[in-house]
Amino acid sequence: MRPVSLAAALRCSAAVGTATALAWALASAPVATAADREEPGAELAFGVTAPIEGVRPGSAQAVSFTVTNRGTAPATQVALYIDGSQGLAFAEKYANCRYENTPAQDEGPAQVNAVCAVDQTLEPGSVYALEEPVGVTLADRALYEQLSFTIQQDPAGLPGGADDGGAGKAVLRLVEQRPPADPGATYGYERLDVDITAKNTADFALTGSTVKGKAGDTVTAEVSFANKGPGWVTNDVSSPIGVFDVGVPTGTTVVKAPEFCAPAGTGNKPAAYHCTTPYDYADEHSERAYPFRLRIDKVVKNATGKVAFVKGDHRSGTLPFDENPKNNAARVVVNPTAVGGGSGSTGGSEPTDGPSSGATSGGATSGGSTQGTGTQTDTLAASGTDGSLLIGGTAAALLLTAGGVLVVRRQGKHPSAR
């Protein structure tokens, strides 16, 4: 039924001359609801901020932003949350902010955090900027860093005054921009992430081992992944940062694979295993061992399994930060001979008197020779066909195999929420 206005109802009532017509018209008129009455309120949104690149570790970097009140009412009791990755430190502490260092937890790296009480009124339609940029210093470990800002009105747990800032320090303030910034430059969200890339490197390395045994023996061949630094590395997606394949030497069967390793491909006896780091980041000078329990079904001289990084879901699938490709592949050798086999130094030739089983990536060459019983680490160089070092492996491949694990880093909590 088409809505009837009150004026039309009165005209109808006068014409008809009955109370019935007026009652019908009033009952038919639209009724205003809460949804029809738009409540005034503040809406805070950040402006676009470009990423920062090429900052040297040990130096300071200023980070600024603009924020717009796109709502219809002033914003009061505003809180600004600042979260920084573990390669950053605050260069200055403000009197109206509370600071906290969050240790690594729940599969996430450490963070530096602050929450600031902005004792100002942000008027609707106005654009504001920091009175002075937030300064951060980059540690020697810095590489892929991020400084995140979140702004909220009337938040729970707003700090009531100075805490770690201390008396006599500057106050973090916002100032109105004149003239207003370009409306098209509004980011549109109350959270802003600013990427800060340091001019630094990280050295990812793989090592293998050499083992000996008789037919029927079960031996442990250990493979390891390490980040030798100086930078720590975090992924740009929620997938492991280090992914590599481990070939199974000919004549052996894996009776127990290590955690975070699963068969690559199908079949009862896979030719390789797909392994990952447990998290989507790797701290500098960290290392993890991957022990494979191998049953020697048949003694094959110099049986070799190649170990190499493979392309995957992170930072273009390569290692742009790694300038030392010599230790990016290795091998597992079972029953090396005195001459021409074993797991020696980098740069030798592939053993010619025994077969090898390669990792699915290929492209690896074996090292020189050694002899003896037990286990010995081994590294060798490997590169992609285009000269770039390969790393990664799709997270889906790991999820679809038995024992696969996908780990997602969690965001750090604000100090006020702890």
Short mmCIF file of all heavy atoms in Angstrom, two decimals, residues 136-159:
data_model
loop_
_atom_site.label_atom_id
_atom_site.label_comp_id
_atom_site.label_asym_id
_atom_site.label_seq_id
_atom_site.Cartn_x
_atom_site.Cartn_y
_atom_site.Cartn_z
N VAL A 136 61.19 5.74 15.76
CA VAL A 136 61.60 4.38 16.13
C VAL A 136 63.05 4.17 15.70
O VAL A 136 63.52 4.77 14.73
CB VAL A 136 60.70 3.31 15.48
CG1 VAL A 136 59.29 3.33 16.06
CG2 VAL A 136 60.65 3.48 13.97
N THR A 137 63.76 3.33 16.42
CA THR A 137 65.11 2.93 16.05
C THR A 137 65.09 1.49 15.61
O THR A 137 64.32 0.67 16.13
CB THR A 137 66.09 3.11 17.22
OG1 THR A 137 65.62 2.36 18.36
CG2 THR A 137 66.19 4.58 17.61
N LEU A 138 65.93 1.16 14.64
CA LEU A 138 66.00 -0.19 14.10
C LEU A 138 67.17 -0.92 14.71
O LEU A 138 68.31 -0.44 14.68
CB LEU A 138 66.13 -0.17 12.58
CG LEU A 138 64.84 0.07 11.79
CD1 LEU A 138 64.36 1.50 11.93
CD2 LEU A 138 65.01 -0.30 10.34
N ALA A 139 66.90 -2.09 15.28
CA ALA A 139 67.94 -2.90 15.88
C ALA A 139 68.80 -3.56 14.81
O ALA A 139 68.46 -3.55 13.62
CB ALA A 139 67.31 -3.97 16.78
N ASP A 140 69.92 -4.15 15.22
CA ASP A 140 70.80 -4.84 14.28
C ASP A 140 70.09 -6.01 13.61
O ASP A 140 70.43 -6.40 12.50
CB ASP A 140 72.05 -5.35 15.00
CG ASP A 140 72.95 -4.22 15.47
OD1 ASP A 140 72.83 -3.10 14.92
OD2 ASP A 140 73.78 -4.46 16.37
N ARG A 141 69.08 -6.56 14.27
CA ARG A 141 68.34 -7.71 13.75
C ARG A 141 67.24 -7.30 12.77
O ARG A 141 66.60 -8.15 12.15
CB ARG A 141 67.72 -8.48 14.91
CG ARG A 141 66.57 -7.71 15.56
CD ARG A 141 66.12 -8.31 16.86
NE ARG A 141 65.66 -9.68 16.74
CZ ARG A 141 65.02 -10.35 17.70
NH1 ARG A 141 64.76 -9.75 18.83
NH2 ARG A 141 64.65 -11.58 17.51
N ALA A 142 66.97 -6.02 12.62
CA ALA A 142 65.83 -5.54 11.84
C ALA A 142 65.95 -5.95 10.38
O ALA A 142 67.02 -5.89 9.78
CB ALA A 142 65.71 -4.03 11.97
N LEU A 143 64.83 -6.32 9.79
CA LEU A 143 64.78 -6.61 8.35
C LEU A 143 63.40 -6.21 7.82
O LEU A 143 63.22 -5.12 7.31
CB LEU A 143 65.08 -8.08 8.08
CG LEU A 143 65.11 -8.50 6.61
CD1 LEU A 143 66.02 -7.62 5.78
CD2 LEU A 143 65.52 -9.96 6.47
N TYR A 144 62.39 -7.07 7.98
CA TYR A 144 61.02 -6.75 7.56
C TYR A 144 60.22 -6.33 8.79
O TYR A 144 59.67 -7.18 9.49
CB TYR A 144 60.37 -7.95 6.87
CG TYR A 144 61.08 -8.39 5.62
CD1 TYR A 144 61.63 -9.66 5.52
CD2 TYR A 144 61.21 -7.53 4.53
CE1 TYR A 144 62.29 -10.07 4.38
CE2 TYR A 144 61.87 -7.94 3.38
CZ TYR A 144 62.40 -9.20 3.31
OH TYR A 144 63.06 -9.61 2.17
N GLU A 145 60.16 -5.04 9.04
CA GLU A 145 59.50 -4.54 10.25
C GLU A 145 58.17 -3.89 9.90
O GLU A 145 57.88 -3.59 8.74
CB GLU A 145 60.41 -3.54 10.97
CG GLU A 145 61.80 -4.07 11.26
CD GLU A 145 61.82 -5.34 12.08
OE1 GLU A 145 60.94 -5.51 12.97
OE2 GLU A 145 62.69 -6.21 11.84
N GLN A 146 57.37 -3.66 10.94
CA GLN A 146 56.07 -3.03 10.75
C GLN A 146 55.68 -2.25 11.99
O GLN A 146 55.86 -2.72 13.11
CB GLN A 146 55.00 -4.08 10.44
CG GLN A 146 53.66 -3.49 10.03
CD GLN A 146 52.67 -4.57 9.64
OE1 GLN A 146 52.00 -5.13 10.50
NE2 GLN A 146 52.56 -4.85 8.34
N LEU A 147 55.17 -1.04 11.77
CA LEU A 147 54.62 -0.21 12.84
C LEU A 147 53.15 -0.01 12.55
O LEU A 147 52.78 0.49 11.48
CB LEU A 147 55.35 1.14 12.90
CG LEU A 147 55.16 1.97 14.18
CD1 LEU A 147 55.74 1.23 15.38
CD2 LEU A 147 55.79 3.33 14.05
N SER A 148 52.30 -0.44 13.48
CA SER A 148 50.85 -0.42 13.27
C SER A 148 50.20 0.57 14.23
O SER A 148 50.55 0.64 15.41
CB SER A 148 50.26 -1.82 13.48
OG SER A 148 50.80 -2.74 12.56
N PHE A 149 49.22 1.32 13.71
CA PHE A 149 48.46 2.29 14.50
C PHE A 149 46.99 1.91 14.47
O PHE A 149 46.45 1.56 13.42
CB PHE A 149 48.62 3.70 13.93
CG PHE A 149 50.04 4.20 13.87
CD1 PHE A 149 50.81 4.02 12.73
CD2 PHE A 149 50.61 4.84 14.96
CE1 PHE A 149 52.12 4.48 12.67
CE2 PHE A 149 51.91 5.30 14.91
CZ PHE A 149 52.67 5.12 13.77
N THR A 150 46.35 2.00 15.62
CA THR A 150 44.90 1.82 15.72
C THR A 150 44.35 2.97 16.55
O THR A 150 44.88 3.26 17.63
CB THR A 150 44.54 0.48 16.39
OG1 THR A 150 45.14 -0.59 15.66
CG2 THR A 150 43.04 0.27 16.42
N ILE A 151 43.30 3.64 16.06
CA ILE A 151 42.71 4.77 16.77
C ILE A 151 41.25 4.46 17.06
O ILE A 151 40.52 3.97 16.20
CB ILE A 151 42.88 6.08 15.97
CG1 ILE A 151 42.56 7.28 16.83
CG2 ILE A 151 42.08 6.04 14.68
CD1 ILE A 151 43.04 8.60 16.25
N GLN A 152 40.84 4.71 18.31
CA GLN A 152 39.48 4.39 18.73
C GLN A 152 38.95 5.49 19.64
O GLN A 152 39.70 6.10 20.40
CB GLN A 152 39.43 3.04 19.46
CG GLN A 152 39.78 1.85 18.59
CD GLN A 152 39.73 0.54 19.36
OE1 GLN A 152 39.55 0.53 20.57
NE2 GLN A 152 39.88 -0.56 18.64
N GLN A 153 37.64 5.68 19.59
CA GLN A 153 36.98 6.61 20.49
C GLN A 153 36.35 5.84 21.64
O GLN A 153 35.79 4.77 21.44
CB GLN A 153 35.91 7.41 19.76
CG GLN A 153 35.22 8.45 20.64
CD GLN A 153 34.04 9.10 19.95
OE1 GLN A 153 33.55 8.60 18.95
NE2 GLN A 153 33.57 10.21 20.49
N ASP A 154 36.44 6.39 22.84
CA ASP A 154 35.85 5.79 24.05
C ASP A 154 36.22 4.31 24.20
O ASP A 154 35.36 3.45 24.37
CB ASP A 154 34.32 5.92 24.02
CG ASP A 154 33.88 7.37 24.01
OD1 ASP A 154 34.55 8.19 24.66
OD2 ASP A 154 32.86 7.68 23.38
N PRO A 155 37.51 3.98 24.14
CA PRO A 155 37.89 2.57 24.27
C PRO A 155 37.86 2.13 25.73
O PRO A 155 37.95 2.94 26.65
CB PRO A 155 39.32 2.55 23.73
CG PRO A 155 39.85 3.91 24.11
CD PRO A 155 38.69 4.86 23.99
N ALA A 156 37.73 0.84 25.93
CA ALA A 156 37.82 0.29 27.28
C ALA A 156 39.29 0.27 27.72
O ALA A 156 40.19 0.00 26.92
CB ALA A 156 37.25 -1.12 27.30
N GLY A 157 39.53 0.58 28.98
CA GLY A 157 40.89 0.50 29.50
C GLY A 157 41.78 1.62 29.05
O GLY A 157 43.00 1.44 28.95
N LEU A 158 41.22 2.80 28.75
CA LEU A 158 42.05 3.93 28.34
C LEU A 158 42.94 4.35 29.50
O LEU A 158 42.47 4.53 30.62
CB LEU A 158 41.16 5.10 27.93
CG LEU A 158 41.86 6.33 27.36
CD1 LEU A 158 42.50 5.99 26.02
CD2 LEU A 158 40.87 7.48 27.19
N PRO A 159 44.25 4.50 29.28
CA PRO A 159 45.14 4.87 30.38
C PRO A 159 44.77 6.24 30.95
O PRO A 159 44.43 7.16 30.22
CB PRO A 159 46.52 4.89 29.72
CG PRO A 159 46.25 5.07 28.27
CD PRO A 159 44.96 4.38 28.00
#
